[in-house]
Amino acid sequence: MIPVKMKTESLLYTLRPLAAFLPVLLLIGCQPRWTETAKGGYHLVENEDGALLGYSPESGVQILTVDRLAFKDLNRDGSLDPYEDWRLSAADRAKDLAGRMSEAQIAGLMLYSAHQRLPGGGFGGRDTYGGKPFDESGARASDLSDQQRTFLTEDNLRHVLLTTVESPAVAAEWNNNAQALVEGLGLGIPANNSTDPRHEAGSDDEFNLGAGGEISRWPGAIGLAASFDPSLVRQFGEIASREYRALGMATALSPQVDLATDPRWYRFSGTFGEDPVLATAMARAYVDGFQTSPSDKEIAGGWGYESVNAMVKHWPGGGTGEGGRDAHYGFGKFAVFPGDNLKDHIKPFAEGAFNLEGGTGRASAVMPYYTISYGLDPGGEYVGNAFSAYFITDLLRNTYGYDGVVCTDWGVTRPDEGMAVFGRTPWGVEHLSVAERHYKILMAGCDQFGGNNDAGPVLEAYAMGVEEHGEAFMRARFETSAVRLLKNIFRTGLFENPYLEVAETSAVVGNPEFMKAGYEAQLKSVVVLKNEGGVLPIKPDQTVYIPQRYVPPGESFFGQPIPGRWEDPINLQIAGKYFTVTDNPDEADIALVEITNPINGRTAGYSAEDAKAGGNGFLPITLQYGPYTAVEARDPSLAGDAREGDVLNRSYKGKTVTARNHTDLEMVLDTRRVMKGKPVVVVLRMSNPTVVSEFESQVNGLVVNFNVQDQAVLDIISGKTEPSGLLPLQMPANMATVEQQYEDVPLDMEVQVDAAGNAYGFGFGLNWDGLIRDARTEKYAAPE
């Protein structure tokens, strides 16, 4: 047994040599565990085993050291507040911050800007820079416009919708400028920038292996659906989210998961088709791909620095407009459900976007559509979905348990200015003031106002709520929405580092790997419908006649006029790399004719001229090229508006229309004539299902192009790549079946059947061996 004295002496003897080092050890224990690096206009602060912080010294934000770790003092009060502590959960931080915000700050958070161009700013690019138009100002493309500065500083707006950008570098620089500005304001809440889909391919783009581009190019939603491959859609989401974040965009106003159960709908091509099972699988894959960060970029629960909030749209489904009309206009404001089939339209939301495989669980935001879902509210209210407490609170929030952000579609609070005026859509509440519309939206359960840069009406709505319910109620209502909105900003890491390295943006966006993946997806979207006598693939030694196409005058989605013109429908330089091209049909072995599906125009289904002439203004929407008289149309209409200046019976029965591009049909038939019996192959560039019976029997080959690059189509028809695409829709046999189908019921039309007995229905497609039957068709498609 060792005496206690000996133990003590031995211990002191052991510690004596360390005593000299004790001050050093104490100093090491107090040293910050972070380093700071200047990056031009901002600084990066790297914590050991912690968050990477970015801040602008010009904003006035300082770095706090707590527990040897770095934190941003966003409100510049010299202490670490819970919302500034990146170690806490997004929910806890959001709740703390919401409680600190003024009503004016929450009102600004509820705003979602009108469309912004870089440069140019708002709609039409008419913003000013230092009081001058951009071209006269000497400003850089990445500078903030006067109007952008106003809505960020005076209206406290923090959600910005970006459209066209001059380049990825400009987008990154603009983001840094905007973030530096708002970081120095109030509580330092960063901007949550967003975009509509921006990856669709241009027809004459050329893909070169190893070459990059401004952004990777993919099929649109209907083309992705033609792959029948949810894993491809998830891959798209993973790549697109990386590109979005590199552009400074942390929210995607997508996917559009409406079931396209009416083939005439103007927005059909933005959907995953009309089948609820396939659309549900695609919706889940899309949102998982966008929202889930890889493990090395994860913050918590699947969310992280490569996550992009997905705003799934349009609740509860916008594809059932009566007669196929669209609700951007008063003539299309009613969605009808003659088949009593709302349940199928909810499936892509409830079973897809709200039921993810990844850790994020469900889509972080939802956008209701403009439509009045006619006759479905048990309380008998007829208002647009965003104004409906039944559709937002009772159904979405209570029945389906959704507690994420609900943002209105753009322009629903603007005054109605007529049946055919775009973007003013207060359907069912036309009689209310702008502020009253905001109040009704809040009371319905929505959180955010799309397309509104002005906080004034939101604050007026707050005052209305205080008058009706009291201050405590309305403050709690505001904070509920603020927490939802803030969580989407916290979870994506924007409070820690909203800044971008421009060189990294340029390296990520449109890099060769992403371009290759997008191009391969385009190949998988091309559908071969007819290959009579094995006319396809076209051989390299064949001479091909490609006639010019006349493009009739038209209008863009936003109403800008587009003049008529003649064009080469396929890039002849690219086509010449596959076979010999001629403009003389006598020299040709085969003809290749590219046409577009029948075009009805921007205000499809309505004519102001008809209304002025004493009619009700309503016209058929045609899916055929030649003159169409709607003898099978219903009369009276299912929905209508008895108010003065509107129309109760919206039937168009007996009226006749002709597709604007009827010349496409004439071109096909003329080509058949001049080829004198030699093969004719038609490439149909298709956004809507098309009645092909007008020409199908006159051609030898028929290929569907869901608006991808010419090169992808040429790779297929030349045999370089085996076709694998399948129809995610039905090709109607005639317009009678289009009129007879129910707007809300999928797959209920008679389909086109060709001479070989092939039915052009959902899941149909050919490869070089004939009819495609594989695991995809077994899972999703029964034979028509």
Side-chain angles (χ1 to χ4, degrees):
M1 183 175 180
I2 302 174
V4 172
K5 181 179 180 181
M6 287 186 63
K7 284 185 179 181
T8 304
E9 289 176 347
S10 176
L11 180 61
L12 289 172
Y13 180 80
T14 303
L15 292 176
R16 204 170 285 132
L18 299 176
F21 295 99
L22 188 57
V24 177
L25 293 173
L26 291 172
L27 184 62
I28 292 173
C30 295
Q31 286 293 313
R33 295 170 54 201
W34 55 269
T35 57
E36 183 167 355
T37 307
K39 288 284 185 180
Y42 66 99
H43 286 198
L44 285 180
V45 177
E46 187 170 358
N47 283 290
E48 293 180 19
D49 301 319
L52 178 69
L53 311 181
Y55 76 101
S56 170
E58 296 180 4
S59 71
V61 166
Q62 300 292 321
I63 296 298
L64 301 172
T65 301
V66 177
D67 298 333
R68 299 170 59 199
L69 298 171
F71 302 86
K72 293 164 68 174
D73 185 13
L74 289 166
N75 60 4
R76 299 167 296 284
D77 67 351
S79 63
L80 180 63
D81 300 306
Y83 86 91
E84 298 166 333
D85 190 344
W86 44 261
R87 298 169 299 184
L88 301 179
S89 71
D92 288 343
R93 297 174 73 186
K95 184 176 181 181
D96 175 73
L97 178 53
R100 298 170 184 273
M101 297 175 70
S102 68
E103 286 78 25
Q105 288 170 328
I106 295 177
L109 193 65
M110 290 176 166
L111 303 177
Y112 221 126
S113 82
H115 299 73
Q116 301 294 309
R117 300 173 61 184
L118 303 181
F123 186 73
R126 293 186 290 268
D127 279 15
T128 57
Y129 295 76
K132 299 179 180 180
F134 175 75
D135 291 340
E136 301 172 14
S137 67
R140 292 161 53 91
S142 57
D143 288 345
L144 302 179
S145 72
D146 299 334
Q147 290 75 12
Q148 290 166 348
R149 288 184 177 276
T150 296
F151 65 59
L152 291 171
T153 57
E154 298 180 15
D155 293 287
N156 297 298
L157 184 149
R158 291 297 179 270
H159 293 80
V160 183
L161 173 57
L162 300 175
T163 56
T164 57
V165 298
E166 185 175 279
S167 69
V170 164
E173 291 167 358
W174 184 92
N175 170 80
N176 290 352
N177 291 335
Q179 301 294 5
L181 174 64
V182 299
E183 188 174 70
L185 302 174
L187 295 161
I189 299 172
N192 181 359
N193 304 322
S194 69
T195 179
D196 280 308
R198 60 192 313 117
H199 281 84
E200 291 190 19
S203 63
D204 60 355
D205 292 342
E206 185 172 11
F207 170 71
N208 294 303
L209 189 64
E214 288 200 349
I215 200 165
S216 61
R217 298 298 181 186
W218 297 71
I222 196 66
L224 288 170
S227 74
F228 276 58
D229 183 1
S231 68
L232 180 67
V233 176
R234 175 152 186 164
Q235 181 194 29
F236 164 69
E238 292 167 349
I239 288 175
S241 64
R242 287 190 61 189
E243 293 186 306
Y244 279 13
R245 291 305 300 266
L247 292 166
M249 301 166 182
T251 295
L253 302 190
S254 58
Q256 185 185 331
V257 303
D258 313 85
L259 282 189
T261 47
D262 192 289
R264 297 164 290 190
W265 188 31
Y266 191 90
R267 304 187 70 176
F268 192 106
S269 64
T271 75
F272 293 123
E274 58 182 307
D275 179 69
V277 177
L278 180 63
T280 296
M282 295 300 193
R284 182 185 305 113
Y286 190 108
V287 179
D288 264 330
F290 267 87
Q291 292 191 171
T292 306
S293 280
S295 58
D296 62 328
K297 300 291 184 180
E298 184 177 0
I299 297 172
W303 292 101
Y305 300 106
E306 290 186 0
S307 296
V308 170
N309 294 289
M311 185 180 291
V312 61
K313 56 189 185 183
H314 303 87
W315 177 262
T320 69
E322 185 166 17
R325 297 184 292 271
D326 182 67
H328 277 89
Y329 301 92
F331 59 76
K333 64 185 175 182
F334 294 112
V336 295
F337 295 82
D340 193 23
N341 192 36
L342 178 63
K343 65 182 186 302
D344 270 352
H345 292 263
I346 287 178
K347 284 178 181 177
F349 295 92
E351 299 176 23
F354 301 167
N355 183 33
L356 304 181
E357 295 175 353
T360 65
R362 60 181 57 190
S364 65
V366 169
M367 182 188 295
Y369 205 40
Y370 300 111
T371 46
I372 297 171
S373 297
Y374 199 81
L376 295 188
D377 183 346
E381 189 175 38
Y382 291 85
V383 294
N385 296 310
F387 299 99
S388 170
Y390 170 71
F391 279 105
I392 304 303
T393 294
D394 296 350
L395 201 60
L396 178 60
R397 296 212 185 275
N398 295 342
T399 300
Y400 292 100
Y402 186 78
D403 193 39
V405 168
V406 178
C407 176
T408 75
D409 211 330
W410 266 232
V412 299
T413 59
R414 298 172 190 156
D416 175 25
E417 294 187 357
M419 190 74 78
V421 177
F422 176 83
R424 295 178 174 273
T425 54
W427 308 141
V429 294
E430 293 91 342
H431 61 290
L432 298 181
S433 70
V434 171
E436 288 169 336
R437 291 175 194 138
H438 282 77
Y439 182 53
K440 187 167 180 61
I441 287 167
L442 285 173
M443 293 301 100
C446 296
D447 306 294
Q448 200 164 28
F449 306 95
N452 182 7
N453 300 351
D454 181 7
V458 187
L459 291 171
E460 288 185 63
Y462 182 86
M464 293 174 186
V466 171
E467 184 176 350
E468 182 174 357
H469 298 289
E471 184 81 40
F473 172 90
M474 207 58 200
R475 175 68 199 191
R477 175 66 191 86
F478 254 41
E479 286 193 26
T480 295
S481 287
V483 168
R484 290 172 181 149
L485 291 159
L486 289 168
K487 283 196 293 187
N488 289 353
I489 307 177
F490 279 115
R491 290 188 295 206
T492 50
L494 290 173
F495 274 89
E496 278 56 72
N497 181 26
Y499 296 95
L500 300 170
E501 294 190 42
V502 176
E504 183 176 343
T505 291
S506 298
V508 168
V509 179
N511 71 57
E513 177 189 350
F514 293 174
M515 296 295 288
K516 181 174 183 290
Y519 185 73
E520 289 174 348
Q522 292 182 51
L523 293 171
K524 294 177 181 178
S525 75
V526 179
V527 183
V528 175
L529 296 183
K530 185 173 185 178
N531 189 18
E532 184 180 80
V535 67
L536 295 173
I538 299 174
K539 299 173 179 58
D541 60 354
Q542 289 184 298
T543 299
V544 180
Y545 170 55
I546 304 178
Q548 279 203 323
R549 175 177 179 261
Y550 178 67
V551 181
E555 294 174 309
S556 73
F557 187 78
F558 295 106
Q560 293 93 343
I562 301 172
R565 66 193 186 278
W566 284 92
E567 68 173 15
D568 291 315
I570 296 174
N571 186 307
L572 299 183
Q573 185 176 1
I574 296 176
K577 297 179 180 180
Y578 293 84
F579 32 67
T580 301
V581 177
T582 181
D583 60 2
N584 183 352
D586 293 334
E587 297 175 355
D589 301 304
I590 188 170
L592 185 59
V593 184
E594 181 168 285
I595 61 176
T596 299
N597 61 266
I599 297 171
N600 290 268
R602 181 173 61 95
T603 57
Y606 185 80
S607 167
E609 289 74 20
D610 180 84
K612 289 176 183 177
N616 66 359
F618 288 82
L619 299 177
I621 297 175
T622 183
L623 300 181
Q624 70 180 40
Y625 295 93
Y628 165 61
T629 300
V631 296
E632 301 282 347
R634 67 169 65 100
D635 187 12
S637 61
L638 294 177
D641 190 334
R643 293 179 308 117
E644 184 178 353
D646 214 304
V647 178
L648 180 60
N649 183 5
R650 298 179 165 213
S651 175
Y652 48 83
K653 186 171 184 177
K655 294 184 178 180
T656 301
V657 294
T658 302
R660 285 190 177 183
N661 59 327
H662 59 87
T663 49
D664 279 0
L665 174 62
E666 295 163 11
M667 179 174 66
V668 172
L669 299 180
D670 283 347
T671 301
R672 171 73 174 180
R673 178 179 53 80
V674 299
M675 287 298 289
K676 302 174 183 176
K678 290 181 288 188
V680 175
V681 173
V682 168
V683 174
L684 174 60
R685 186 175 287 274
M686 196 168 78
S687 299
N688 287 82
T690 299
V691 176
V692 297
S693 58
E694 293 172 297
F695 66 84
E696 177 269 316
S697 64
Q698 302 298 307
V699 302
N700 308 93
L702 180 56
V703 178
V704 173
N705 168 10
F706 288 113
N707 293 292
V708 298
Q709 294 170 229
D710 292 341
Q711 184 181 0
V713 176
L714 291 166
D715 272 356
I716 296 292
I717 64 175
S718 69
K720 184 176 180 180
T721 300
E722 180 96 2
S724 63
L726 303 168
L727 282 178
L729 49 84
Q730 293 179 312
M731 297 288 272
N734 47 56
M735 281 302 298
T737 191
V738 173
E739 296 290 1
Q740 292 160 4
Q741 57 91 34
Y742 284 166
E743 285 93 337
D744 61 324
V745 176
L747 308 175
D748 61 342
M749 293 189 295
E750 177 190 353
V751 301
Q752 174 72 11
V753 179
D754 65 20
N758 289 320
Y760 297 171
F762 178 78
F764 176 78
L766 301 175
N767 59 23
W768 303 142
D769 293 325
L771 184 66
I772 297 174
R773 282 286 174 257
D774 56 22
R776 299 172 301 156
T777 58
E778 183 177 345
K779 183 173 184 177
Y780 295 111
E784 292 276 354

